[in-house]
């Protein structure tokens, strides 16, 4: 029987440690790739939920009459009060802002209602009551939230242009 020399045993130990190091680097890379994939998946779910929420709000506004969409009481009491968060979006803040289309903001006709993360609805800007006299308005629907993964702030905006007579002079 042949005895192993001390140098051979030592080199086997070094080879085993090197193999363990390579396996550890591979597993760390695999873990990082899995973590990044999970981040992308959760972010896409958040964006999808926010898009669904803005679409729901936009559809409610599209089906409302001219008098209703220019009335802050209707926007806050009906549309925002009936709005709920979609999916799992944490700390979502929903805002609807209506103002004359093509004008500069700040003339007192801007109406803005908001639903905060706690579900409380408030009229931020009540307007001066003249918004319904405009021929057309712009309605911005904004959803702000922090992502469920790493709490990064995000915003989704849908912009609608509405005219007093509607597309066919109705409404």
């Amino acid at each position: 029987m042949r005895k192993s020399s001390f140098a051979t045993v030592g080199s086997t130990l070094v080879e085993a440690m090197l193999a363990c190091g390579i396996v550890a680097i591979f597993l760390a890379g695999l873990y990082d790739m899995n973590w990044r994939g999970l981040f992308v998946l959760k972010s896409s779910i958040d964006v999808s939920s926010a898009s669904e929420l803005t679409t729901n709000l936009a559809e409610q506004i599209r089906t409302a009459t001219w008098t209703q969409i220019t009335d802050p009481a209707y926007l806050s009491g009906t549309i925002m009060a009936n709005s709920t968060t979609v999916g799992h979006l944490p700390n979502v803040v929903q805002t609807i802002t209506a103002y004359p289309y093509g004008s500069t903001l700040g003339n007192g006709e801007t109406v803005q209602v908001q639903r905060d993360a706690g579900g409380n609805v408030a009229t931020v800007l009540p307007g001066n009551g003249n918004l319904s006299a405009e021929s057309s308005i712009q309605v911005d629907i904004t959803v702000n939230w922090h992502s469920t993964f790493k709490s990064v702030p995000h915003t989704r905006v849908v912009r609608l242009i509405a005219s007093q007579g509607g597309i066919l002079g109705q409404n």
Side-chain angles (χ1 to χ4, degrees), residues 12-97:
T12 307
L13 181 63
V14 170
E15 289 170 353
M17 289 176 59
L18 186 61
C20 286
I22 290 171
V23 168
I25 290 171
F26 172 76
L27 290 176
L30 192 62
Y31 174 79
D32 184 59
M33 185 174 64
N34 188 28
W35 183 83
R36 289 179 192 270
L38 183 62
F39 174 76
V40 168
L41 178 65
K42 287 196 176 270
S43 294
S44 66
I45 290 170
D46 287 351
V47 170
S48 177
S49 295
S51 294
E52 184 178 342
L53 180 57
T54 55
T55 301
N56 288 342
L57 290 170
E59 288 303 315
Q60 289 182 51
I61 290 172
R62 285 184 186 132
T63 59
T65 65
W66 180 258
T67 306
Q68 290 171 330
I69 63 174
T70 57
D71 180 17
Y74 179 80
L75 293 175
S76 64
T78 302
I79 292 181
M80 280 299 198
N82 293 333
S83 176
T84 57
T85 58
V86 175
H88 62 284
L89 287 178
N91 301 321
V92 68
V93 176
Q94 306 165 45
T95 307
I96 297 176
T97 308

